[in-house]
Amino acid sequence: DSTIIQPLHLAWCSGALSGAPLLTKSTTLQDLPGVFADHTCWQSLAGSKPVYHVEMFATPDRPGELYTGVTHLMPGKVGEEFFMTRGHFHARREQGEVYIGLRGEGLLLLQDEQNSTRLERVYPGSVHTIPGFTAHRLINTGNEILSALAVWPCSAGHDYSALKNGFALRVVDDAGSVRVMEVNHD
Ligand code: PA5
Ligand code: NI
């Protein structure tokens, strides 16, 4: 005899997950030293100001399984630079990920191992297929929380140290418009 299982649930408009135990990770400004260009401004704001929260289902991480999580990135700036996630390559470089925009507006910054970059606009319903070998970072360019759903292999892992010189683009508020700046590492 067949039973109908109550599935997990995602509230499309808020990104809230429910229906199973969740893991939550909060990242504050003080957790992000060296991430924003204006160090003095970062220091003056730092404290425990929340920048983003990640909520995910507590999926058992067996080989071949997938994690499902939602990132909620606050609106805000350090100097003129918009709030963003730390960003990472996957420890297993070949493993990709899918992001789907749920609320707010922003950008997904992608950078490959040759430091080629591209930006994709993130908005409710936007779909982003992040290939393997590609570092990724969310940037909130709007005035409300940017929430995005992510699905990725449990075995992917995070490598936060590989981007030694950081990302090659910075995104700033230039008197009300979004400006993309190339970073000179020389
Ligand atoms: O798996 C992902 O790529 C996301 O869930 C990120 O981990 C999340 O957006 C937080 O970013 P980061 O891990 O770079 O701090
Ligand atoms: Ni990832």
PDB file of all heavy atoms in Angstrom, residues 10 12 17 54-57 59 64-71 88 90 95-101 127-131 136 148-156 158:
ATOM      1  N   LEU A  10       9.633  25.111   0.315  1.00  0.00           N
ATOM      2  CA  LEU A  10      10.322  26.391   0.116  1.00  0.00           C
ATOM      3  C   LEU A  10       9.260  27.444  -0.153  1.00  0.00           C
ATOM      4  O   LEU A  10       8.458  27.288  -1.079  1.00  0.00           O
ATOM      5  CB  LEU A  10      11.264  26.285  -1.097  1.00  0.00           C
ATOM      6  CG  LEU A  10      11.767  27.590  -1.702  1.00  0.00           C
ATOM      7  CD1 LEU A  10      12.740  28.293  -0.758  1.00  0.00           C
ATOM      8  CD2 LEU A  10      12.453  27.332  -3.038  1.00  0.00           C
ATOM      9  N   TRP A  12       8.391  30.509  -1.866  1.00  0.00           N
ATOM     10  CA  TRP A  12       9.030  31.190  -2.998  1.00  0.00           C
ATOM     11  C   TRP A  12       9.367  32.650  -2.703  1.00  0.00           C
ATOM     12  O   TRP A  12      10.402  33.146  -3.144  1.00  0.00           O
ATOM     13  CB  TRP A  12       8.118  31.176  -4.229  1.00  0.00           C
ATOM     14  CG  TRP A  12       8.031  29.881  -4.938  1.00  0.00           C
ATOM     15  CD1 TRP A  12       6.903  29.152  -5.138  1.00  0.00           C
ATOM     16  CD2 TRP A  12       9.094  29.141  -5.553  1.00  0.00           C
ATOM     17  NE1 TRP A  12       7.202  28.001  -5.823  1.00  0.00           N
ATOM     18  CE2 TRP A  12       8.527  27.974  -6.104  1.00  0.00           C
ATOM     19  CE3 TRP A  12      10.454  29.361  -5.702  1.00  0.00           C
ATOM     20  CZ2 TRP A  12       9.288  27.018  -6.788  1.00  0.00           C
ATOM     21  CZ3 TRP A  12      11.216  28.411  -6.372  1.00  0.00           C
ATOM     22  CH2 TRP A  12      10.632  27.267  -6.905  1.00  0.00           C
ATOM     23  N   LEU A  17      12.706  27.923   4.271  1.00  0.00           N
ATOM     24  CA  LEU A  17      12.645  26.471   4.122  1.00  0.00           C
ATOM     25  C   LEU A  17      11.946  25.892   5.336  1.00  0.00           C
ATOM     26  O   LEU A  17      12.097  26.405   6.452  1.00  0.00           O
ATOM     27  CB  LEU A  17      14.061  25.883   4.044  1.00  0.00           C
ATOM     28  CG  LEU A  17      14.934  26.325   2.867  1.00  0.00           C
ATOM     29  CD1 LEU A  17      16.353  25.777   3.027  1.00  0.00           C
ATOM     30  CD2 LEU A  17      14.338  25.873   1.535  1.00  0.00           C
ATOM     31  N   VAL A  54      22.824  31.564   5.728  1.00  0.00           N
ATOM     32  CA  VAL A  54      22.515  30.438   4.848  1.00  0.00           C
ATOM     33  C   VAL A  54      21.710  29.440   5.665  1.00  0.00           C
ATOM     34  O   VAL A  54      22.093  29.074   6.769  1.00  0.00           O
ATOM     35  CB  VAL A  54      23.793  29.770   4.297  1.00  0.00           C
ATOM     36  CG1 VAL A  54      23.433  28.596   3.397  1.00  0.00           C
ATOM     37  CG2 VAL A  54      24.653  30.778   3.540  1.00  0.00           C
ATOM     38  N   GLU A  55      20.563  29.036   5.135  1.00  0.00           N
ATOM     39  CA  GLU A  55      19.743  27.988   5.754  1.00  0.00           C
ATOM     40  C   GLU A  55      19.765  26.809   4.810  1.00  0.00           C
ATOM     41  O   GLU A  55      19.578  26.981   3.602  1.00  0.00           O
ATOM     42  CB  GLU A  55      18.283  28.440   5.840  1.00  0.00           C
ATOM     43  CG  GLU A  55      17.940  29.228   7.058  1.00  0.00           C
ATOM     44  CD  GLU A  55      16.429  29.188   7.318  1.00  0.00           C
ATOM     45  OE1 GLU A  55      15.650  29.206   6.349  1.00  0.00           O
ATOM     46  OE2 GLU A  55      16.070  29.128   8.501  1.00  0.00           O
ATOM     47  N   MET A  56      19.969  25.619   5.326  1.00  0.00           N
ATOM     48  CA  MET A  56      19.931  24.447   4.446  1.00  0.00           C
ATOM     49  C   MET A  56      19.318  23.257   5.152  1.00  0.00           C
ATOM     50  O   MET A  56      19.321  23.180   6.378  1.00  0.00           O
ATOM     51  CB  MET A  56      21.327  24.125   3.917  1.00  0.00           C
ATOM     52  CG  MET A  56      22.364  23.894   4.988  1.00  0.00           C
ATOM     53  SD  MET A  56      24.008  23.709   4.277  1.00  0.00           S
ATOM     54  CE  MET A  56      23.920  21.980   3.832  1.00  0.00           C
ATOM     55  N   PHE A  57      18.764  22.353   4.355  1.00  0.00           N
ATOM     56  CA  PHE A  57      18.247  21.119   4.923  1.00  0.00           C
ATOM     57  C   PHE A  57      19.431  20.274   5.385  1.00  0.00           C
ATOM     58  O   PHE A  57      20.470  20.227   4.720  1.00  0.00           O
ATOM     59  CB  PHE A  57      17.423  20.346   3.884  1.00  0.00           C
ATOM     60  CG  PHE A  57      16.122  21.021   3.544  1.00  0.00           C
ATOM     61  CD1 PHE A  57      15.839  21.404   2.240  1.00  0.00           C
ATOM     62  CD2 PHE A  57      15.177  21.271   4.534  1.00  0.00           C
ATOM     63  CE1 PHE A  57      14.631  22.030   1.929  1.00  0.00           C
ATOM     64  CE2 PHE A  57      13.959  21.892   4.223  1.00  0.00           C
ATOM     65  CZ  PHE A  57      13.696  22.275   2.921  1.00  0.00           C
ATOM     66  N   THR A  59      20.757  17.488   5.095  1.00  0.00           N
ATOM     67  CA  THR A  59      20.801  16.277   4.265  1.00  0.00           C
ATOM     68  C   THR A  59      22.026  15.434   4.655  1.00  0.00           C
ATOM     69  O   THR A  59      23.104  15.993   4.819  1.00  0.00           O
ATOM     70  CB  THR A  59      20.949  16.690   2.780  1.00  0.00           C
ATOM     71  OG1 THR A  59      19.956  17.675   2.491  1.00  0.00           O
ATOM     72  CG2 THR A  59      20.790  15.517   1.840  1.00  0.00           C
ATOM     73  N   GLY A  64      27.048  11.390  -3.924  1.00  0.00           N
ATOM     74  CA  GLY A  64      25.961  11.468  -4.898  1.00  0.00           C
ATOM     75  C   GLY A  64      24.756  12.251  -4.428  1.00  0.00           C
ATOM     76  O   GLY A  64      23.897  12.595  -5.227  1.00  0.00           O
ATOM     77  N   GLU A  65      24.692  12.563  -3.117  1.00  0.00           N
ATOM     78  CA  GLU A  65      23.541  13.328  -2.615  1.00  0.00           C
ATOM     79  C   GLU A  65      23.725  14.818  -2.914  1.00  0.00           C
ATOM     80  O   GLU A  65      24.835  15.276  -3.186  1.00  0.00           O
ATOM     81  CB  GLU A  65      23.384  13.153  -1.098  1.00  0.00           C
ATOM     82  CG  GLU A  65      23.283  11.713  -0.638  1.00  0.00           C
ATOM     83  CD  GLU A  65      21.911  11.095  -0.877  1.00  0.00           C
ATOM     84  OE1 GLU A  65      20.940  11.837  -1.109  1.00  0.00           O
ATOM     85  OE2 GLU A  65      21.826   9.858  -0.842  1.00  0.00           O
ATOM     86  N   LEU A  66      22.626  15.548  -2.819  1.00  0.00           N
ATOM     87  CA  LEU A  66      22.643  16.984  -3.100  1.00  0.00           C
ATOM     88  C   LEU A  66      22.207  17.768  -1.863  1.00  0.00           C
ATOM     89  O   LEU A  66      21.286  17.351  -1.163  1.00  0.00           O
ATOM     90  CB  LEU A  66      21.683  17.309  -4.250  1.00  0.00           C
ATOM     91  CG  LEU A  66      21.975  16.632  -5.590  1.00  0.00           C
ATOM     92  CD1 LEU A  66      20.810  16.844  -6.546  1.00  0.00           C
ATOM     93  CD2 LEU A  66      23.265  17.178  -6.195  1.00  0.00           C
ATOM     94  N   TYR A  67      22.822  18.889  -1.630  1.00  0.00           N
ATOM     95  CA  TYR A  67      22.363  19.836  -0.613  1.00  0.00           C
ATOM     96  C   TYR A  67      21.427  20.855  -1.243  1.00  0.00           C
ATOM     97  O   TYR A  67      21.619  21.261  -2.393  1.00  0.00           O
ATOM     98  CB  TYR A  67      23.540  20.613  -0.017  1.00  0.00           C
ATOM     99  CG  TYR A  67      24.376  19.870   0.992  1.00  0.00           C
ATOM    100  CD1 TYR A  67      25.762  19.895   0.898  1.00  0.00           C
ATOM    101  CD2 TYR A  67      23.791  19.179   2.053  1.00  0.00           C
ATOM    102  CE1 TYR A  67      26.562  19.250   1.836  1.00  0.00           C
ATOM    103  CE2 TYR A  67      24.585  18.527   2.992  1.00  0.00           C
ATOM    104  CZ  TYR A  67      25.961  18.568   2.877  1.00  0.00           C
ATOM    105  OH  TYR A  67      26.738  17.927   3.806  1.00  0.00           O
ATOM    106  N   THR A  68      20.454  21.304  -0.450  1.00  0.00           N
ATOM    107  CA  THR A  68      19.560  22.379  -0.865  1.00  0.00           C
ATOM    108  C   THR A  68      19.613  23.459   0.203  1.00  0.00           C
ATOM    109  O   THR A  68      19.399  23.163   1.392  1.00  0.00           O
ATOM    110  CB  THR A  68      18.108  21.859  -0.964  1.00  0.00           C
ATOM    111  OG1 THR A  68      18.081  20.779  -1.905  1.00  0.00           O
ATOM    112  CG2 THR A  68      17.161  22.951  -1.433  1.00  0.00           C
ATOM    113  N   GLY A  69      19.931  24.684  -0.186  1.00  0.00           N
ATOM    114  CA  GLY A  69      20.032  25.762   0.796  1.00  0.00           C
ATOM    115  C   GLY A  69      19.603  27.088   0.207  1.00  0.00           C
ATOM    116  O   GLY A  69      19.482  27.233  -1.020  1.00  0.00           O
ATOM    117  N   VAL A  70      19.328  28.031   1.086  1.00  0.00           N
ATOM    118  CA  VAL A  70      18.969  29.379   0.634  1.00  0.00           C
ATOM    119  C   VAL A  70      19.900  30.380   1.313  1.00  0.00           C
ATOM    120  O   VAL A  70      20.120  30.307   2.525  1.00  0.00           O
ATOM    121  CB  VAL A  70      17.499  29.714   0.973  1.00  0.00           C
ATOM    122  CG1 VAL A  70      17.177  31.166   0.606  1.00  0.00           C
ATOM    123  CG2 VAL A  70      16.549  28.769   0.236  1.00  0.00           C
ATOM    124  N   THR A  71      20.477  31.270   0.516  1.00  0.00           N
ATOM    125  CA  THR A  71      21.293  32.364   1.047  1.00  0.00           C
ATOM    126  C   THR A  71      20.442  33.618   1.105  1.00  0.00           C
ATOM    127  O   THR A  71      19.767  33.965   0.128  1.00  0.00           O
ATOM    128  CB  THR A  71      22.511  32.622   0.140  1.00  0.00           C
ATOM    129  OG1 THR A  71      23.304  31.443   0.120  1.00  0.00           O
ATOM    130  CG2 THR A  71      23.349  33.797   0.640  1.00  0.00           C
ATOM    131  N   HIS A  88      33.607  31.384  -3.312  1.00  0.00           N
ATOM    132  CA  HIS A  88      34.478  30.199  -3.228  1.00  0.00           C
ATOM    133  C   HIS A  88      34.497  29.409  -4.525  1.00  0.00           C
ATOM    134  O   HIS A  88      33.573  29.484  -5.328  1.00  0.00           O
ATOM    135  CB  HIS A  88      33.983  29.277  -2.100  1.00  0.00           C
ATOM    136  CG  HIS A  88      32.571  28.827  -2.286  1.00  0.00           C
ATOM    137  ND1 HIS A  88      31.501  29.526  -1.785  1.00  0.00           N
ATOM    138  CD2 HIS A  88      32.036  27.761  -2.952  1.00  0.00           C
ATOM    139  CE1 HIS A  88      30.380  28.917  -2.127  1.00  0.00           C
ATOM    140  NE2 HIS A  88      30.673  27.851  -2.846  1.00  0.00           N
ATOM    141  N   HIS A  90      34.617  25.262  -5.445  1.00  0.00           N
ATOM    142  CA  HIS A  90      34.361  24.015  -4.738  1.00  0.00           C
ATOM    143  C   HIS A  90      35.685  23.272  -4.558  1.00  0.00           C
ATOM    144  O   HIS A  90      36.564  23.334  -5.416  1.00  0.00           O
ATOM    145  CB  HIS A  90      33.339  23.165  -5.500  1.00  0.00           C
ATOM    146  CG  HIS A  90      31.966  23.785  -5.460  1.00  0.00           C
ATOM    147  ND1 HIS A  90      31.014  23.598  -6.414  1.00  0.00           N
ATOM    148  CD2 HIS A  90      31.424  24.612  -4.528  1.00  0.00           C
ATOM    149  CE1 HIS A  90      29.925  24.283  -6.085  1.00  0.00           C
ATOM    150  NE2 HIS A  90      30.153  24.923  -4.944  1.00  0.00           N
ATOM    151  N   GLN A  95      32.884  20.175  -9.689  1.00  0.00           N
ATOM    152  CA  GLN A  95      31.472  20.089  -9.334  1.00  0.00           C
ATOM    153  C   GLN A  95      30.774  21.445  -9.455  1.00  0.00           C
ATOM    154  O   GLN A  95      31.271  22.462  -8.977  1.00  0.00           O
ATOM    155  CB  GLN A  95      31.327  19.484  -7.943  1.00  0.00           C
ATOM    156  CG  GLN A  95      32.006  18.106  -7.928  1.00  0.00           C
ATOM    157  CD  GLN A  95      31.460  17.152  -6.919  1.00  0.00           C
ATOM    158  OE1 GLN A  95      31.061  17.536  -5.836  1.00  0.00           O
ATOM    159  NE2 GLN A  95      31.438  15.873  -7.272  1.00  0.00           N
ATOM    160  N   GLY A  96      29.630  21.434 -10.099  1.00  0.00           N
ATOM    161  CA  GLY A  96      28.869  22.651 -10.358  1.00  0.00           C
ATOM    162  C   GLY A  96      27.788  22.872  -9.322  1.00  0.00           C
ATOM    163  O   GLY A  96      27.739  22.207  -8.276  1.00  0.00           O
ATOM    164  N   GLU A  97      26.930  23.826  -9.595  1.00  0.00           N
ATOM    165  CA  GLU A  97      25.879  24.209  -8.648  1.00  0.00           C
ATOM    166  C   GLU A  97      24.817  24.965  -9.426  1.00  0.00           C
ATOM    167  O   GLU A  97      25.125  25.584 -10.445  1.00  0.00           O
ATOM    168  CB  GLU A  97      26.511  25.116  -7.573  1.00  0.00           C
ATOM    169  CG  GLU A  97      25.564  25.556  -6.474  1.00  0.00           C
ATOM    170  CD  GLU A  97      26.308  25.988  -5.196  1.00  0.00           C
ATOM    171  OE1 GLU A  97      27.555  25.913  -5.160  1.00  0.00           O
ATOM    172  OE2 GLU A  97      25.618  26.409  -4.250  1.00  0.00           O
ATOM    173  N   VAL A  98      23.576  24.919  -8.938  1.00  0.00           N
ATOM    174  CA  VAL A  98      22.512  25.728  -9.542  1.00  0.00           C
ATOM    175  C   VAL A  98      22.026  26.744  -8.513  1.00  0.00           C
ATOM    176  O   VAL A  98      21.775  26.388  -7.354  1.00  0.00           O
ATOM    177  CB  VAL A  98      21.334  24.845 -10.031  1.00  0.00           C
ATOM    178  CG1 VAL A  98      20.161  25.703 -10.476  1.00  0.00           C
ATOM    179  CG2 VAL A  98      21.781  23.942 -11.168  1.00  0.00           C
ATOM    180  N   TYR A  99      21.949  27.999  -8.911  1.00  0.00           N
ATOM    181  CA  TYR A  99      21.354  29.055  -8.091  1.00  0.00           C
ATOM    182  C   TYR A  99      20.053  29.504  -8.776  1.00  0.00           C
ATOM    183  O   TYR A  99      20.007  29.608 -10.000  1.00  0.00           O
ATOM    184  CB  TYR A  99      22.263  30.294  -8.024  1.00  0.00           C
ATOM    185  CG  TYR A  99      23.380  30.290  -7.001  1.00  0.00           C
ATOM    186  CD1 TYR A  99      23.912  29.120  -6.465  1.00  0.00           C
ATOM    187  CD2 TYR A  99      23.930  31.490  -6.587  1.00  0.00           C
ATOM    188  CE1 TYR A  99      24.952  29.158  -5.540  1.00  0.00           C
ATOM    189  CE2 TYR A  99      24.979  31.548  -5.662  1.00  0.00           C
ATOM    190  CZ  TYR A  99      25.475  30.365  -5.142  1.00  0.00           C
ATOM    191  OH  TYR A  99      26.511  30.410  -4.237  1.00  0.00           O
ATOM    192  N   ILE A 100      19.048  29.830  -7.980  1.00  0.00           N
ATOM    193  CA  ILE A 100      17.803  30.402  -8.511  1.00  0.00           C
ATOM    194  C   ILE A 100      17.438  31.606  -7.659  1.00  0.00           C
ATOM    195  O   ILE A 100      17.336  31.497  -6.422  1.00  0.00           O
ATOM    196  CB  ILE A 100      16.664  29.343  -8.483  1.00  0.00           C
ATOM    197  CG1 ILE A 100      17.024  28.178  -9.423  1.00  0.00           C
ATOM    198  CG2 ILE A 100      15.323  29.974  -8.892  1.00  0.00           C
ATOM    199  CD1 ILE A 100      16.035  27.031  -9.412  1.00  0.00           C
ATOM    200  N   GLY A 101      17.286  32.747  -8.296  1.00  0.00           N
ATOM    201  CA  GLY A 101      16.922  33.974  -7.573  1.00  0.00           C
ATOM    202  C   GLY A 101      15.498  33.852  -7.037  1.00  0.00           C
ATOM    203  O   GLY A 101      14.600  33.352  -7.722  1.00  0.00           O
ATOM    204  N   VAL A 127      17.723  31.858 -13.234  1.00  0.00           N
ATOM    205  CA  VAL A 127      18.328  30.534 -13.060  1.00  0.00           C
ATOM    206  C   VAL A 127      19.788  30.604 -13.491  1.00  0.00           C
ATOM    207  O   VAL A 127      20.087  31.125 -14.574  1.00  0.00           O
ATOM    208  CB  VAL A 127      17.576  29.470 -13.896  1.00  0.00           C
ATOM    209  CG1 VAL A 127      18.241  28.103 -13.750  1.00  0.00           C
ATOM    210  CG2 VAL A 127      16.111  29.396 -13.476  1.00  0.00           C
ATOM    211  N   HIS A 128      20.682  30.106 -12.657  1.00  0.00           N
ATOM    212  CA  HIS A 128      22.122  30.214 -12.905  1.00  0.00           C
ATOM    213  C   HIS A 128      22.757  28.840 -12.789  1.00  0.00           C
ATOM    214  O   HIS A 128      22.733  28.240 -11.715  1.00  0.00           O
ATOM    215  CB  HIS A 128      22.762  31.166 -11.892  1.00  0.00           C
ATOM    216  CG  HIS A 128      22.001  32.448 -11.765  1.00  0.00           C
ATOM    217  ND1 HIS A 128      22.255  33.524 -12.572  1.00  0.00           N
ATOM    218  CD2 HIS A 128      20.935  32.786 -10.990  1.00  0.00           C
ATOM    219  CE1 HIS A 128      21.392  34.494 -12.273  1.00  0.00           C
ATOM    220  NE2 HIS A 128      20.584  34.073 -11.319  1.00  0.00           N
ATOM    221  N   THR A 129      23.295  28.355 -13.888  1.00  0.00           N
ATOM    222  CA  THR A 129      24.001  27.078 -13.875  1.00  0.00           C
ATOM    223  C   THR A 129      25.478  27.395 -13.727  1.00  0.00           C
ATOM    224  O   THR A 129      26.113  27.879 -14.663  1.00  0.00           O
ATOM    225  CB  THR A 129      23.736  26.307 -15.184  1.00  0.00           C
ATOM    226  OG1 THR A 129      22.326  26.185 -15.330  1.00  0.00           O
ATOM    227  CG2 THR A 129      24.359  24.931 -15.133  1.00  0.00           C
ATOM    228  N   ILE A 130      25.998  27.156 -12.540  1.00  0.00           N
ATOM    229  CA  ILE A 130      27.412  27.456 -12.283  1.00  0.00           C
ATOM    230  C   ILE A 130      28.209  26.224 -12.688  1.00  0.00           C
ATOM    231  O   ILE A 130      28.029  25.150 -12.103  1.00  0.00           O
ATOM    232  CB  ILE A 130      27.641  27.779 -10.789  1.00  0.00           C
ATOM    233  CG1 ILE A 130      26.750  28.954 -10.361  1.00  0.00           C
ATOM    234  CG2 ILE A 130      29.112  28.047 -10.513  1.00  0.00           C
ATOM    235  CD1 ILE A 130      26.711  29.183  -8.846  1.00  0.00           C
ATOM    236  N   PRO A 131      29.075  26.356 -13.698  1.00  0.00           N
ATOM    237  CA  PRO A 131      29.826  25.179 -14.121  1.00  0.00           C
ATOM    238  C   PRO A 131      30.893  24.807 -13.087  1.00  0.00           C
ATOM    239  O   PRO A 131      31.181  25.595 -12.182  1.00  0.00           O
ATOM    240  CB  PRO A 131      30.487  25.622 -15.427  1.00  0.00           C
ATOM    241  CG  PRO A 131      30.226  27.064 -15.584  1.00  0.00           C
ATOM    242  CD  PRO A 131      29.426  27.565 -14.423  1.00  0.00           C
ATOM    243  N   HIS A 136      32.276  31.422  -7.264  1.00  0.00           N
ATOM    244  CA  HIS A 136      31.010  32.153  -7.332  1.00  0.00           C
ATOM    245  C   HIS A 136      30.771  32.963  -6.068  1.00  0.00           C
ATOM    246  O   HIS A 136      31.118  32.543  -4.971  1.00  0.00           O
ATOM    247  CB  HIS A 136      29.845  31.191  -7.603  1.00  0.00           C
ATOM    248  CG  HIS A 136      29.943  29.870  -6.894  1.00  0.00           C
ATOM    249  ND1 HIS A 136      30.822  28.886  -7.280  1.00  0.00           N
ATOM    250  CD2 HIS A 136      29.274  29.367  -5.819  1.00  0.00           C
ATOM    251  CE1 HIS A 136      30.696  27.844  -6.480  1.00  0.00           C
ATOM    252  NE2 HIS A 136      29.766  28.118  -5.571  1.00  0.00           N
ATOM    253  N   ALA A 148      18.505  33.654  -2.555  1.00  0.00           N
ATOM    254  CA  ALA A 148      18.706  32.764  -3.699  1.00  0.00           C
ATOM    255  C   ALA A 148      18.800  31.323  -3.207  1.00  0.00           C
ATOM    256  O   ALA A 148      19.451  31.033  -2.197  1.00  0.00           O
ATOM    257  CB  ALA A 148      19.968  33.133  -4.465  1.00  0.00           C
ATOM    258  N   LEU A 149      18.116  30.461  -3.937  1.00  0.00           N
ATOM    259  CA  LEU A 149      18.147  29.025  -3.667  1.00  0.00           C
ATOM    260  C   LEU A 149      19.395  28.433  -4.323  1.00  0.00           C
ATOM    261  O   LEU A 149      19.756  28.836  -5.436  1.00  0.00           O
ATOM    262  CB  LEU A 149      16.894  28.402  -4.292  1.00  0.00           C
ATOM    263  CG  LEU A 149      16.767  26.885  -4.344  1.00  0.00           C
ATOM    264  CD1 LEU A 149      16.582  26.328  -2.935  1.00  0.00           C
ATOM    265  CD2 LEU A 149      15.583  26.502  -5.228  1.00  0.00           C
ATOM    266  N   ALA A 150      20.038  27.499  -3.652  1.00  0.00           N
ATOM    267  CA  ALA A 150      21.197  26.822  -4.252  1.00  0.00           C
ATOM    268  C   ALA A 150      21.054  25.314  -4.059  1.00  0.00           C
ATOM    269  O   ALA A 150      20.595  24.853  -3.015  1.00  0.00           O
ATOM    270  CB  ALA A 150      22.494  27.303  -3.612  1.00  0.00           C
ATOM    271  N   VAL A 151      21.434  24.560  -5.079  1.00  0.00           N
ATOM    272  CA  VAL A 151      21.492  23.097  -4.986  1.00  0.00           C
ATOM    273  C   VAL A 151      22.866  22.666  -5.486  1.00  0.00           C
ATOM    274  O   VAL A 151      23.296  23.087  -6.574  1.00  0.00           O
ATOM    275  CB  VAL A 151      20.372  22.436  -5.825  1.00  0.00           C
ATOM    276  CG1 VAL A 151      20.473  20.914  -5.746  1.00  0.00           C
ATOM    277  CG2 VAL A 151      18.996  22.902  -5.354  1.00  0.00           C
ATOM    278  N   TRP A 152      23.575  21.892  -4.668  1.00  0.00           N
ATOM    279  CA  TRP A 152      24.946  21.515  -5.020  1.00  0.00           C
ATOM    280  C   TRP A 152      25.286  20.143  -4.430  1.00  0.00           C
ATOM    281  O   TRP A 152      24.669  19.705  -3.461  1.00  0.00           O
ATOM    282  CB  TRP A 152      25.925  22.590  -4.549  1.00  0.00           C
ATOM    283  CG  TRP A 152      26.128  22.704  -3.057  1.00  0.00           C
ATOM    284  CD1 TRP A 152      27.189  22.208  -2.339  1.00  0.00           C
ATOM    285  CD2 TRP A 152      25.291  23.377  -2.095  1.00  0.00           C
ATOM    286  NE1 TRP A 152      27.055  22.523  -1.006  1.00  0.00           N
ATOM    287  CE2 TRP A 152      25.903  23.229  -0.819  1.00  0.00           C
ATOM    288  CE3 TRP A 152      24.077  24.060  -2.163  1.00  0.00           C
ATOM    289  CZ2 TRP A 152      25.338  23.748   0.353  1.00  0.00           C
ATOM    290  CZ3 TRP A 152      23.517  24.574  -0.992  1.00  0.00           C
ATOM    291  CH2 TRP A 152      24.148  24.422   0.233  1.00  0.00           C
ATOM    292  N   PRO A 153      26.266  19.472  -5.009  1.00  0.00           N
ATOM    293  CA  PRO A 153      26.619  18.131  -4.531  1.00  0.00           C
ATOM    294  C   PRO A 153      27.193  18.185  -3.112  1.00  0.00           C
ATOM    295  O   PRO A 153      28.028  19.052  -2.813  1.00  0.00           O
ATOM    296  CB  PRO A 153      27.707  17.658  -5.508  1.00  0.00           C
ATOM    297  CG  PRO A 153      27.622  18.579  -6.680  1.00  0.00           C
ATOM    298  CD  PRO A 153      27.072  19.870  -6.182  1.00  0.00           C
ATOM    299  N   CYS A 154      26.774  17.243  -2.270  1.00  0.00           N
ATOM    300  CA  CYS A 154      27.306  17.180  -0.901  1.00  0.00           C
ATOM    301  C   CYS A 154      28.821  17.018  -0.903  1.00  0.00           C
ATOM    302  O   CYS A 154      29.506  17.450   0.022  1.00  0.00           O
ATOM    303  CB  CYS A 154      26.697  16.003  -0.152  1.00  0.00           C
ATOM    304  SG  CYS A 154      24.924  16.164   0.110  1.00  0.00           S
ATOM    305  N   SER A 155      29.331  16.388  -1.949  1.00  0.00           N
ATOM    306  CA  SER A 155      30.771  16.130  -1.987  1.00  0.00           C
ATOM    307  C   SER A 155      31.576  17.316  -2.505  1.00  0.00           C
ATOM    308  O   SER A 155      32.802  17.262  -2.540  1.00  0.00           O
ATOM    309  CB  SER A 155      31.040  14.917  -2.877  1.00  0.00           C
ATOM    310  OG  SER A 155      30.473  15.137  -4.155  1.00  0.00           O
ATOM    311  N   ALA A 156      30.898  18.421  -2.919  1.00  0.00           N
ATOM    312  CA  ALA A 156      31.621  19.531  -3.561  1.00  0.00           C
ATOM    313  C   ALA A 156      32.604  20.204  -2.606  1.00  0.00           C
ATOM    314  O   ALA A 156      33.744  20.500  -2.970  1.00  0.00           O
ATOM    315  CB  ALA A 156      30.635  20.567  -4.109  1.00  0.00           C
ATOM    316  N   HIS A 158      33.883  23.395   0.063  1.00  0.00           N
ATOM    317  CA  HIS A 158      34.155  24.808  -0.213  1.00  0.00           C
ATOM    318  C   HIS A 158      35.649  25.037  -0.107  1.00  0.00           C
ATOM    319  O   HIS A 158      36.274  24.570   0.839  1.00  0.00           O
ATOM    320  CB  HIS A 158      33.448  25.703   0.805  1.00  0.00           C
ATOM    321  CG  HIS A 158      31.956  25.621   0.763  1.00  0.00           C
ATOM    322  ND1 HIS A 158      31.252  24.701   1.493  1.00  0.00           N
ATOM    323  CD2 HIS A 158      31.050  26.336   0.069  1.00  0.00           C
ATOM    324  CE1 HIS A 158      29.961  24.846   1.241  1.00  0.00           C
ATOM    325  NE2 HIS A 158      29.805  25.842   0.382  1.00  0.00           N
TER     326      HIS A 158
END
